[in-house]
Amino acid sequence: MPSDQRCAIFIDGANLYATTKALGFDIDYKKLLKDFQARENLIRAFYYTAMIEDQEYSSIRPLVDWLDYNGYRVVTKPVREFTDSAGRRRFKGNMDIELAIDALELAPRLDHMVLFSGDGDFRSLVEAMQRRGVRVTVISTIQTQPAMISDELRRQADEFVDLSTLASRIGREATERAPRPTGETPTRHRAESRPNLENRYGIRQPEDDA
C-alpha cells in the first residue's frame, strides 16, 4: 500500500547516467516509476537533461521522448558550445537551476523529495527543502572510486540510499542487455545508429513505419 506521504522524484539525467555506467548496470525507467508508485504517493517524476540540438540524431532523444509520454516530466535545454583555452571544442549543459526551481516551487505540496544525483552543488537546495519541512532522500553511490556523491551532499540528506542496492529493483537484467559485438563499428546513419530502447532502457518503442 503506498504511503500517504506526498513524494516527487528529481533525476539529474547526466549524473545518473555516469553513476550507473560506473556501477555497471542500466536503469529500467518503467521499473523505477512503478517501484516508487507502489511505495509512495508519487505526484511527480522529473527528468533533467541538456541536449545538443544541431545534431541530425541524438542518442538521448529516444529516451527523452519515451519518458515524456510515460509518466515523467522531462525538462531539457540546449547544450552551450564553447572553445577552451587550448582551442578545443567543448560543450556545457548544466540543469541545476531548472531542477532547483522546480523543487522549491513544489515544496509546499511535498512531504518527501527523492534526488537522483551526487552533485555537491545540490547541498544548498537540499537544505532549503528541509527548512520547508520536506524530507530529502539522495540516491547515488559510494561503491566506486572515487565515490559518485559529494560528502557534503550525503551529510546534508535526511537519508542516503546507495544506488547499487536498488539494482535488483530498478535495473535491467544482465541477460536483457544487448552488447555490441566485438569489432562492430558504429555508423553515422540515423537508421543504423538508433538505439534499441527495449534492450537499453527497458521500454518498448513502436515499429517503424514501412
Side-chain angles (χ1 to χ4, degrees):
M1 185 106 181
S3 167
D4 291 334
Q5 297 283 294
R6 298 166 299 176
C7 173
I9 297 171
F10 297 83
I11 299 174
D12 177 352
N15 192 277
L16 178 59
Y17 173 78
T19 302
T20 55
K21 186 176 181 180
L23 289 172
F25 77 93
D26 300 323
I27 295 288
D28 183 326
Y29 286 92
K30 184 182 293 184
K31 277 187 181 179
L32 188 154
L33 196 63
K34 288 184 176 180
D35 183 81
F36 277 91
Q37 288 173 335
R39 297 182 295 106
E40 306 268 2
N41 177 15
L42 187 64
I43 63 173
R44 287 285 187 278
F46 293 92
Y47 184 94
Y48 299 84
T49 187
M51 301 182 66
I52 302 175
E53 293 194 331
D54 61 351
Q55 288 185 335
E56 179 183 354
Y57 176 71
S58 171
S59 61
I60 193 68
R61 172 57 67 182
L63 173 62
V64 166
D65 288 343
W66 186 90
L67 293 173
D68 211 18
Y69 282 105
N70 290 273
Y72 289 84
R73 184 72 59 84
V74 179
V75 182
T76 67
K77 74 177 181 182
V79 169
R80 182 171 63 85
E81 181 180 343
F82 66 97
T83 302
D84 67 13
S85 57
R88 291 170 296 194
R89 188 183 182 198
R90 300 290 189 182
F91 297 95
K92 184 175 182 180
N94 193 311
M95 300 294 295
D96 293 4
I97 295 297
E98 288 79 2
L99 192 156
I101 290 173
D102 287 343
L104 290 170
E105 286 184 343
L106 203 56
R109 301 174 179 83
L110 287 182
D111 302 299
H112 184 202
M113 172 187 182
V114 178
L115 175 64
F116 280 83
S117 183
D119 189 342
D121 290 344
F122 287 122
R123 190 207 64 80
S124 295
L125 169 63
V126 171
E127 184 179 25
M129 295 294 286
Q130 292 166 333
R131 288 199 301 268
R132 289 160 172 78
V134 179
R135 180 170 59 91
V136 181
T137 296
V138 173
I139 300 178
S140 184
T141 189
I142 57 172
Q143 299 303 314
T144 57
Q145 293 295 331
M148 296 298 290
I149 185 170
S150 71
D151 186 61
E152 58 267 27
L153 179 61
R154 186 182 172 198
R155 288 172 181 269
Q156 188 66 49
D158 293 295
E159 181 181 7
F160 166 70
V161 175
D162 200 292
L163 185 63
S164 62
T165 67
L166 302 181
S168 62
R169 282 165 39 190
I170 65 172
R172 295 291 293 158
E173 297 294 334
T175 56
E176 295 175 320
R177 297 178 192 146
R180 178 180 298 157
T182 303
E184 180 181 334
T185 302
T187 69
R188 295 179 181 273
H189 298 294
R190 174 168 181 165
E192 295 175 1
S193 63
R194 192 168 89 174
N196 185 311
L197 298 188
E198 188 171 357
N199 286 332
R200 183 175 298 182
Y201 306 119
I203 58 182
R204 294 186 179 276
Q205 65 188 113
E207 294 295 328
D208 287 339
D209 294 334

